[in-house]
Amino acid sequence: MHTDEILKTLEACYPDAAPALHFGSPYELLVAVILSAQCTDERVNKVTAELFKEHNTPERMLALSQEGLERYIFSCGFYHNKAAHILSASRDILEKFGGEVPSSREELMTLAGVGRKTANVVYAVAFGGDAIAVDTHVFRVANRLGLAVGKTPEEVEKGLCAAIPQPMWSRAHHLLIFHGRRVCHSQRPDCEHCAAAPLCAYYTGGKSPAAPAAD
Ligand code: SF4
């Protein structure tokens, strides 16, 4: 296993790897991450730029009706479910946590509409915790490289956490996302221009760089 070498190679390729969602508080990040499911970060940033002008706290969000929130977030897709999740989580934050987004992963996961991936992102990015959120890019790239092989995001998260030193977890998450977005694409991975190709299990194994679908 070339875990260290792979991470060093990706670090050299993507020194700029960083969260792309715009946010000014843990609450804003939580809302942005919920909106980002099946949607580009660019689109989410456009939507939240308007939404957060007036509705950037749980109280202010709950001042919107389900329909009122849907009008803001319509272009993110799955707007009905996303609006319901944002309002439920906002209610939980107010009623169970005194209006502050909880800072532990376990408490984050108790919020209505907040799954493991969303909790991991907020825990790592807003609170500086060590976590690897496995989204579709992390899932695909980790499987292809052989960093962690698994059929579910939970299996891949477990494998990555075992293979990578804990202080590197959050950084590895961003590096794998960038590699997935820029080179190791879902349909046509650009193996010919991939700096990690000599270390890649699929590439060196001569296999098709297909990987199980995630999400
Ligand atoms: S060699 Fe190909 S499949 Fe492997 S990480 Fe690079 S782009 Fe992805």
Side-chain angles (χ1 to χ4, degrees), residues 3 10 37 42 45 56 64 66 97 113 116 133 138 152-153 167 176 181 199:
T3 305
L10 296 183
E42 291 73 20
N45 287 336
N56 65 342
L64 284 170
Q66 167 85 19
F97 297 101
R116 186 173 186 86
V138 174
T152 66
L176 292 171
R181 283 183 176 155
L199 307 166

Side-chain angles (χ1 to χ4, degrees), residues 147-204:
L147 271 178
V149 175
K151 289 191 169 63
T152 66
E154 288 75 18
E155 281 179 17
V156 169
E157 181 185 336
K158 202 170 165 191
L160 287 171
C161 288
I164 297 170
Q166 185 169 336
M168 283 293 295
W169 288 355
S170 183
R171 185 68 190 149
H173 159 77
H174 294 303
L175 292 172
L176 292 171
I177 287 178
F178 265 58
H179 195 52
R181 283 183 176 155
R182 295 189 181 175
V183 177
C184 192
H185 306 122
S186 173
Q187 298 302 322
R188 291 178 180 271
D190 190 4
C191 302
E192 284 184 16
H193 298 102
C194 175
L199 307 166
C200 175
Y202 275 101
Y203 188 78
T204 57

Side-chain angles (χ1 to χ4, degrees), residues 116-121 124 131-135 138-139 157 160 169 173 177:
R116 186 173 186 86
K117 186 192 79 176
T118 299
N120 274 340
V121 173
I132 302 180
V134 177
D135 69 358
V138 174
F139 182 85
E157 181 185 336
L160 287 171
W169 288 355
H173 159 77
I177 287 178

